[in-house]
Structure formats: C-alpha cells, structure tokens
Amino acid sequence: NFDDLCQAVASLDGEHLSIEKVVNMQLLLPKPEELNKLKHVDGQGDGLGRAELFFLSVMKVPRFPQKLAAFRYSLQFDEQIQSLSTSLRLLGCACNEVVDSKKLAGILRRLLAIGNIMNESAGKPKANGITLDSLIKTAKKKGSDGKTTILDHLITTAMNNKLDLVDFWSDMPAVGDAMRLDLDDFRSLLRECESGAKSVTRSIETERSESASLDIASVSNTSTKFLHKLVPFLQRAAVEIENTKTLFDHVEGNVKTLCSFFAEDFKTCKASTIFGVLLDFSRLVDKSKEQYTRKAKAAKRRESMAKNKAKAASSL
C-alpha cells in the first residue's frame, strides 16, 4: 500500500524500491494546493481516488519530497560518478593520443615544410606551425599542375619511402570514441553531483535536529534508518566527488595541452572540435592513400604489359 511505499522511502529501503519507481514517485508528488484540500480528511480516506490516497500517505512522512530526492540521489550516485569518471579518462586518453602521436607529428612537420616551400615560391611569409584552421586548407592546397594536393605529394613520398606515417589514425582509438565528449558537460555534471550532496547534507542536518529535539523513545525507527544509511553514504560520496574533481582538473590540463598543440585558445576551442578536424583529415589521408594505391597498381600493370610486349618481340 501507499503507506508502506512512503515508509520505504523514508527508511531508504533500496531492496523494495527501484530507481524507476522513485523517479515516478517524484513525478507524482502532490502540489501544495492538493495537500491543502486533504488536510481535513478524516479516517482512511474512504471514497478517495488512488492519487488522493497516495497524497495522504505522503503527508504522513515529514519532509517527504526532500527524503525522496535524497533517496534518488543515493540510488543514482554510483552509476553517475562512475560514468563521469570513465568519460573523463577517455577524454584525457584521447588528448594524449593526439599530442603523443609521432606519426601525426611527422605528417604535420612535412605538411608545414611543403606548404612553406609553396608559400616562399609565391612570395608569401612562412608559417610557424600547422593550426587547426590551416590543417585541412594546407592538405587540400594544389600544386602547379592544379590536381595534385600537398597531401597527395606527402602520401606518395611516404609510401615510396616506406615511412611509418600514413596510418596515424589507427593509433588513436580513443579519439574516435571521445568525439562527442565535452569538458563543459562534465563540469556541469560534477556541479550537479556536488549540489546533490549539499542537498543530502541539509536533509541529514534537519533530521538530526528534529531527532535531537525529541526524547529517545519518540525518535522513530524510520528516522534512525534514514540517518544510519544516508550518513555513511554521504561520507563515501564526498570522497568520490573529490577524487572526480581531481581527475577533472587533470583532464582539463590534457585538453589545454591539446589546444596548445594546435595553437588554439582553450577558452574558445573544444576538444571535440579538434577531434572532428582530425577525423576529416584522416579521411583525406585515406583518400590520398587510395589514389596512390590505384596509381601504383596501374603502373605495375603497364610495366607488366611492357615486359610482355618486349618478351614477345624478342621471341620473333
């Protein structure tokens, strides 16, 4: 019945209440005006509908909405903080993969060198580095034939000399998985966790204050259970939140390093933007590689045909 349901909330009975039920109960909480209508109902509420009977049960538990919110927070906390930590680690790993990639650094150095040669021949100043904005533009810049791009030339050189550069994207598995991760979203989630913990703290303080004003015999078993379960949870949650804040600061440093790698401003550039540009660049690399492979196969066919013709001519 509804009385048992509300008492389960007040005693934080997670065995009989799932997070889905708790969320639904929050959605069904009565408004102040609905409670006022029921203040003068006597007895068991005969003739009332199920909604009104639920409201009556809610009225029997002091500060029920606050206790329900604290219960929901305690049920969701572990999954939320674990998900947040996992995502933060993934983002940090993705940033490190980019910054530490020797293959990507090799490609960027060669792109810069070729681009500067073209700039010098065109009377333009040399660039000091490859920025995020210039990466795709430089890669797509065409040579004097109007067809071959700087990237085409770079890939051809790398493939002919068997330089270990072309498959840089395969060394960045975390980047693909972290494409949609945003440090600002994680900052908001962390603040929500902190805000929820503060709300739980207030609920504990209120419950303790009320219990202290009563004699021991008058303190309900439900109130004792509420404090017995919620206090150690809050202590553990506080440690988890502090650990996650430390992790967040570390990952924020990783993102700042990533932005600096491309001479971008951390305040205006997101890691997801950089990852997106790198994905587009990797597709250009693949396209140039496929073009090189087709040309190499065609050249081999021509060479084979020429050898066959020469052999046939020598046998005459």
Side-chain angles (χ1 to χ4, degrees):
N1 60 45
F2 292 132
D3 283 349
D4 291 340
L5 196 64
C6 291
Q7 287 300 315
V9 170
S11 58
L12 305 181
D13 186 357
E15 293 184 6
H16 297 91
L17 281 175
S18 65
I19 183 60
E20 290 78 12
K21 286 184 178 180
V22 171
V23 171
N24 286 335
M25 288 178 72
Q26 278 191 310
L27 295 174
L28 297 173
L29 283 175
K31 296 179 176 59
E33 57 269 23
E34 292 173 319
L35 292 178
N36 288 331
K37 293 179 181 179
L38 297 173
K39 283 183 177 180
H40 303 293
V41 173
D42 298 324
Q44 299 299 315
D46 295 335
L48 294 178
R50 287 180 59 81
E52 287 76 13
L53 290 174
F54 172 63
F55 295 168
L56 283 177
S57 297
V58 167
M59 294 170 66
K60 297 175 184 178
V61 180
R63 301 176 306 283
F64 183 80
Q66 290 76 18
K67 291 180 179 179
L68 184 60
F71 191 24
R72 176 177 177 175
Y73 180 81
S74 68
L75 290 177
Q76 290 181 322
F77 179 80
D78 286 337
E79 182 179 349
Q80 288 181 337
I81 206 73
Q82 182 178 358
S83 176
L84 177 55
S85 297
T86 299
S87 296
L88 279 168
R89 291 190 181 94
L90 176 60
L91 179 57
C93 181
C95 292
N96 290 336
E97 284 180 352
V98 175
V99 174
D100 296 338
S101 174
K102 294 181 179 179
K103 294 179 182 179
L104 177 62
I107 290 179
L108 296 180
R109 281 197 304 270
R110 286 166 175 79
L111 270 180
L112 178 62
I114 298 171
N116 276 335
I117 291 173
M118 295 179 67
N119 286 340
E120 192 173 2
S121 63
K124 297 180 180 179
K126 289 186 177 181
N128 294 322
I130 297 290
T131 64
L132 198 63
D133 184 57
S134 67
L135 178 58
I136 303 298
K137 292 179 180 178
T138 303
K140 288 183 174 182
K141 189 179 293 184
K142 295 181 180 179
S144 57
D145 64 357
K147 295 180 181 179
T148 306
T149 66
I150 291 180
L151 187 59
D152 290 336
H153 175 73
L154 190 157
I155 297 302
T156 298
T157 302
M159 298 294 285
N160 287 339
N161 293 281
K162 297 182 179 180
L163 300 178
D164 190 17
L165 301 173
V166 178
D167 62 338
F168 78 92
W169 186 252
S170 63
D171 291 346
M172 302 180 181
V175 174
D177 294 333
M179 197 69 64
R180 297 182 182 278
L181 300 183
D182 191 323
L183 200 62
D184 289 338
D185 292 339
F186 298 150
R187 184 180 287 105
S188 297
L189 289 172
L190 190 53
R191 285 173 179 167
E192 287 179 12
C193 287
E194 291 183 288
S195 176
K198 290 178 180 178
S199 178
V200 171
T201 299
R202 288 192 293 270
S203 293
I204 290 175
E205 290 173 348
T206 302
E207 195 73 19
R208 279 175 169 168
S209 177
E210 184 173 283
S211 298
S213 66
L214 303 173
D215 57 74
I216 296 177
S218 300
V219 177
S220 69
N221 184 49
T222 301
S223 178
T224 302
K225 287 182 178 179
F226 180 82
L227 291 173
H228 181 72
K229 292 182 179 180
L230 205 56
V231 170
F233 159 75
L234 186 61
Q235 292 171 341
R236 179 175 62 82
V239 174
E240 292 288 343
I241 289 173
E242 284 303 314
N243 290 340
T244 306
K245 287 171 68 176
T246 300
L247 176 60
F248 178 90
D249 291 340
H250 178 72
V251 174
E252 185 177 47
N254 295 146
V255 175
K256 288 180 178 178
T257 301
L258 175 67
C259 292
S260 297
F261 185 79
F262 288 99
E264 296 293 333
D265 185 356
F266 167 75
K267 295 180 181 179
T268 58
C269 182
K270 296 180 181 293
S272 56
T273 302
I274 296 175
F275 296 155
V277 172
L278 286 176
L279 176 60
D280 291 340
F281 179 66
S282 73
R283 288 168 176 163
L284 290 177
V285 170
D286 288 341
K287 184 178 178 181
S288 293
K289 183 180 177 181
E290 290 170 3
Q291 183 174 298
Y292 169 86
T293 302
R294 286 197 302 270
K295 288 182 178 179
K297 287 181 179 179
K300 283 185 178 181
R301 285 196 298 269
R302 289 194 298 270
E303 183 181 351
S304 178
M305 290 173 62
K307 286 181 179 181
N308 290 335
K309 286 182 180 180
K311 184 184 286 189
S314 64
S315 63
L316 292 177

